[in-house]
Amino acid sequence: MKKVVAFKVLLVLALTLASTSCKKSSSSKNSSRATGWQINSREGGFQYNTDFREQETAPGLVFIEGGTFTKGRVQDDVMHDWNNSPTQQHVQSFYMDETEVTNAMYMEYLDWIKRVYPPAEENFRAIYHGALPDTLVWRNRLGFNEVMTENYLRHPGYGEYPVVGVSWIQAVEFANWRSDRVNEYNLEKAGYLKRDAKVTDVNAESTFSTDTYINAPTLTYGGNEEVINGEKRNKRYVRTDADGNESNIYATRETGIISPKYRLPTETEWEYAALGLSEIRNYNLYRGRKKYPWDGQYTRSEKRKVRGDQLANFKQGKGDYGGIAGWSDDGADITNAVKSYAPNDFGLYDMAGNVAEWVADVYRPIIDSEFNDFNYYRGNVYTKNALNEDGTVKVVTADDIVYDTLPNGKVIARNLPGEIAQVPIDENETYLRTNFDRSDEINFRDGDKRSSRYYESFNDDYEGEGGEKKESDTRKMYNSPKHRVTRDSLGNIIREYDKGNNRTSLINDEVRVYKGGSWKDREYWLDPAQRRYFPQDMATDYIGFRCAMSRVGSKSKSRNKTKN
């Protein structure tokens, strides 16, 4: 009997200890493991989202789990470009648009710009005109393509077709705009911003910028407190002082509500995503012997139900852009609606064919994998927020807009009202650093005397209209033409062409990589390893783009769920 009683006592004690342990475990997420203090206390202290589990997939994107792969081409290089030699690379997990940006998506962007910055006002006219795609790219000296020139961008018949005529610069600006609109919606949905403010309370002097909201939230929407102070804020993050006044009423990165920015994918990300190596993991694919975004070595389907159908939209042969009428090889003569062909294993559509796509990288013939083989990217230009004399961030107003005249004569806005002005980093950020030492790192280890032993002396002097010298002798690996376009006091374009006869390259810091074949390309260019370049301020009828977004947190979604 005594043994039974003793056993019961031990059992009760064990259950009590277990209960206590469980309570401590369940409440530990809101108490600091560093100090023991309470987190997210309404009386003050550290505010942090301890319930965050997973980055929410933003509109239009699909998840791409990162990994290692062979970037570049290990098959025959019949064009003898020698600019895509195979290198082993590792890509961090990220998100990418499942389709190219469509005409309808871009028209939404143009509509917002027209409403907020009316082109009828002289001060804003260049903003709207600078965002317009170049519809004249469809014209051909010996072809009749006026139906596309007049209709392709705006007619609903082409609404779900990929937008073209967009330069690299315009694609970057679209991604920036998209970031702000998505975060604006997220904050409204969470109650931090007034409902429907994104439509009813926006004008040139009162806009939303993600960076401005993070760094100076009271200056967002032109300082309109009615909009900034939402009606249904998550009270968990609101502090109350001794007098009962609320503080910390703005969302911060610690809340997990503000999403990373949309951007163009890097070349390495794009190629990795196009190959779609998520499901089929065998030695040949890992070593870079997958030729297309789909399985197999041919452009036609081998599945019984659709055997013989083309798997992408590309030029079949000379004078053959879509097959015989009534029985089309790929279902299109120019571009085709997105999602017209099967996706790859990541769920991405048209990673070969339809339109080629801009990526973020500045073009160079080599990939310097010896220096870096993780998230490889060439094109870093580091900036920081400009500050006023009192130390506050400088927010751009309608009078502070800076316009750039591009080499092709087009005028674009470098910044927009509501954004934080940016300046290059200086020695305060680079002093004694080993990972970077200047603002512009585009030419690092390739392009100037400082970074390469193999450089040549090029005389960059050229004569202007009056015969005067325009530039002193410099030493570079790439000596592309130096055209100059400026405007006089009346706004007239002054063009100065580089007439030098010693130019040997078109490569410079303003040419960007584009990837993937298009409706206008032969099968050879469908290989994701292929890479070409084009000036960042110019556009064509066969280059479009899609956006990407970095992932924060765990590499794998499934592992993150298991862990939690």
Side-chain angles (χ1 to χ4, degrees):
M1 184 66 179
K2 291 181 179 180
K3 292 182 179 180
V4 174
V5 173
F7 176 76
K8 288 183 178 180
V9 171
L10 290 174
L11 181 61
V12 170
L13 181 60
L15 292 174
T16 302
L17 290 173
S19 176
T20 303
S21 176
C22 289
K23 287 180 180 179
K24 287 182 179 180
S25 176
S26 63
S27 62
S28 63
K29 69 177 183 179
N30 282 324
S31 61
S32 169
R33 287 192 291 145
T35 63
W37 292 9
Q38 281 293 306
I39 299 176
N40 300 320
S41 171
R42 285 188 57 82
E43 287 71 31
F46 182 45
Q47 308 295 306
Y48 197 74
N49 184 357
T50 55
D51 290 329
F52 185 83
R53 290 292 178 269
E54 186 74 26
Q55 178 178 347
E56 183 177 348
T57 303
L61 305 179
V62 295
F63 174 67
I64 311 294
E65 182 179 343
T68 186
F69 81 113
T70 300
K71 177 181 178 179
R73 186 178 178 85
V74 295
Q75 302 178 46
D76 291 337
D77 187 2
V78 299
M79 298 294 289
H80 301 292
D81 287 334
W82 306 113
N83 69 347
N84 51 1
S85 300
T87 63
Q88 196 74 12
Q89 298 284 339
H90 191 96
V91 180
Q92 202 170 14
S93 296
F94 65 103
Y95 297 83
M96 181 179 277
D97 271 332
E98 63 174 346
T99 71
E100 295 121 345
V101 172
T102 64
N103 287 317
M105 294 166 67
Y106 203 88
M107 284 296 296
E108 184 181 9
Y109 167 52
L110 294 177
D111 177 74
W112 185 91
I113 291 180
K114 181 181 286 188
R115 287 189 291 107
V116 178
Y117 308 108
E121 298 184 23
E122 184 176 354
N123 192 36
F124 301 139
R125 186 173 301 128
I127 296 177
Y128 180 72
H129 291 168
L132 283 172
D134 183 4
T135 58
L136 301 184
V137 294
W138 288 105
R139 285 182 173 170
N140 186 294
R141 295 179 182 86
L142 294 178
F144 179 72
N145 298 327
E146 290 305 292
V147 64
M148 279 86 77
T149 299
E150 297 170 357
N151 295 283
Y152 184 82
L153 173 64
R154 300 180 184 277
H155 197 284
Y158 292 117
E160 291 303 306
Y161 284 55
V163 66
V164 296
V166 175
S167 70
W168 182 92
I169 294 175
Q170 290 174 316
V172 169
E173 289 302 315
F174 173 87
N176 293 336
W177 167 84
R178 189 177 176 186
S179 301
D180 289 339
R181 302 292 74 76
V182 169
N183 277 322
E184 187 177 27
Y185 175 72
N186 290 342
L187 290 168
E188 177 192 309
K189 187 169 60 174
Y192 284 93
L193 297 177
K194 175 185 173 183
R195 184 177 296 276
D196 295 329
K198 61 184 182 295
V199 177
T200 59
D201 294 272
V202 176
N203 54 57
E205 296 290 347
S206 177
T207 58
F208 174 87
S209 165
T210 301
D211 289 336
T212 303
Y213 185 86
I214 292 172
N215 292 278
T218 57
L219 300 181
T220 310
Y221 288 102
N224 188 339
E225 293 186 2
E226 181 184 353
V227 176
I228 301 170
N229 297 331
E231 303 166 355
K232 296 181 180 179
R233 292 187 304 276
N234 187 338
K235 297 297 183 181
R236 173 177 184 177
Y237 303 108
V238 178
R239 303 179 187 178
T240 306
D241 60 22
D243 298 326
N245 299 318
E246 291 184 344
S247 62
N248 197 45
I249 60 177
Y250 306 110
T252 61
R253 290 199 188 277
E254 289 84 350
T255 63
I257 295 173
I258 298 175
S259 170
K261 295 179 180 179
Y262 286 87
R263 56 178 173 79
L264 290 183
T266 67
E267 179 184 3
T268 306
E269 287 176 334
W270 193 98
E271 187 171 328
Y272 174 82
L275 288 171
L277 304 178
S278 64
E279 298 296 332
I280 304 173
R281 301 180 184 270
N282 64 46
Y283 181 79
N284 284 335
L285 300 185
Y286 171 76
R287 298 301 299 173
R289 288 176 172 79
K290 188 177 183 186
K291 189 174 183 180
Y292 299 113
W294 51 84
D295 302 331
Q297 297 296 308
Y298 306 99
T299 63
R300 295 184 183 274
S301 174
E302 298 177 2
K303 296 180 180 179
R304 178 175 298 181
K305 290 182 65 175
V306 290
R307 181 171 294 165
D309 286 359
Q310 289 287 8
L311 297 171
N313 176 18
F314 64 99
K315 184 177 180 180
Q316 311 293 314
K318 185 174 179 60
D320 184 0
Y321 290 84
I324 301 172
W327 191 82
S328 181
D329 274 357
D330 59 28
D333 40 25
I334 54 168
T335 57
N336 204 349
V338 297
K339 296 188 177 183
S340 294
Y341 309 93
N344 71 0
D345 288 334
F346 279 130
L348 301 172
Y349 294 85
D350 295 319
M351 295 301 284
N354 216 14
V355 292
E357 300 176 16
W358 289 114
V359 295
D361 295 58
V362 170
Y363 176 81
R364 288 293 186 269
I366 65 170
I367 301 297
D368 191 359
S369 60
E370 291 184 1
F371 183 82
N372 181 44
D373 55 7
F374 179 76
N375 284 348
Y376 188 90
Y377 166 65
R378 179 178 290 279
N380 283 311
V381 178
Y382 302 115
T383 62
K384 62 180 180 179
N385 296 335
L387 301 179
N388 297 311
E389 293 182 357
D390 60 357
T392 58
V393 294
K394 182 177 181 181
V395 178
V396 178
T397 66
D399 297 327
D400 298 329
I401 304 174
V402 177
Y403 293 98
D404 290 332
T405 301
L406 303 178
N408 59 7
K410 198 165 188 175
V411 177
I412 62 167
R414 185 191 305 172
N415 50 30
L416 294 175
E419 298 176 349
I420 297 178
Q422 297 292 303
V423 295
I425 61 170
D426 54 30
E427 61 181 7
N428 292 325
E429 286 76 31
T430 62
Y431 181 64
L432 292 182
R433 283 191 178 273
T434 59
N435 54 335
F436 68 96
D437 58 1
R438 58 179 178 172
S439 173
D440 188 338
E441 296 287 6
I442 289 176
N443 284 319
F444 179 66
R445 287 170 60 94
D446 182 49
D448 57 16
K449 183 177 180 180
R450 184 180 77 97
S451 61
S452 176
R453 293 177 300 171
Y454 305 103
Y455 69 94
E456 296 183 41
S457 176
F458 294 114
N459 186 356
D460 279 339
D461 291 354
Y462 69 96
E463 295 184 357
E465 294 294 333
E468 71 278 10
K469 295 293 183 180
K470 291 295 183 179
E471 196 170 342
S472 61
D473 179 67
T474 59
R475 296 189 173 195
K476 295 182 179 180
M477 290 179 66
Y478 307 107
N479 66 331
S480 61
K482 307 289 184 182
H483 304 306
R484 296 288 187 272
V485 178
T486 57
R487 289 180 177 268
D488 60 20
S489 58
L490 300 178
N492 299 315
I493 297 178
I494 302 175
R495 296 181 173 89
E496 298 179 11
Y497 296 98
D498 185 348
K499 300 179 181 179
N501 57 6
N502 63 338
R503 301 301 185 183
T504 61
S505 172
L506 293 176
I507 301 174
N508 56 44
D509 292 347
E510 283 75 46
V511 294
R512 301 284 173 166
V513 179
Y514 70 95
K515 301 280 282 184
S518 74
W519 65 274
K520 216 169 185 178
D521 291 315
R522 298 293 290 268
E523 175 187 343
Y524 174 77
W525 297 106
L526 300 184
D527 186 341
Q530 293 295 351
R531 55 200 304 262
R532 292 174 281 180
Y533 63 92
F534 203 70
Q536 65 182 20
D537 55 3
M538 298 179 68
T540 74
D541 60 351
Y542 58 86
I543 300 180
F545 70 102
R546 73 180 74 209
C547 296
M549 179 183 289
S550 300
R551 175 172 171 81
V552 295
S554 64
K555 173 187 176 182
S556 171
K557 279 191 170 186
S558 58
R559 292 177 186 172
N560 192 51
K561 290 179 180 179
T562 303
K563 181 180 178 180
N564 293 327

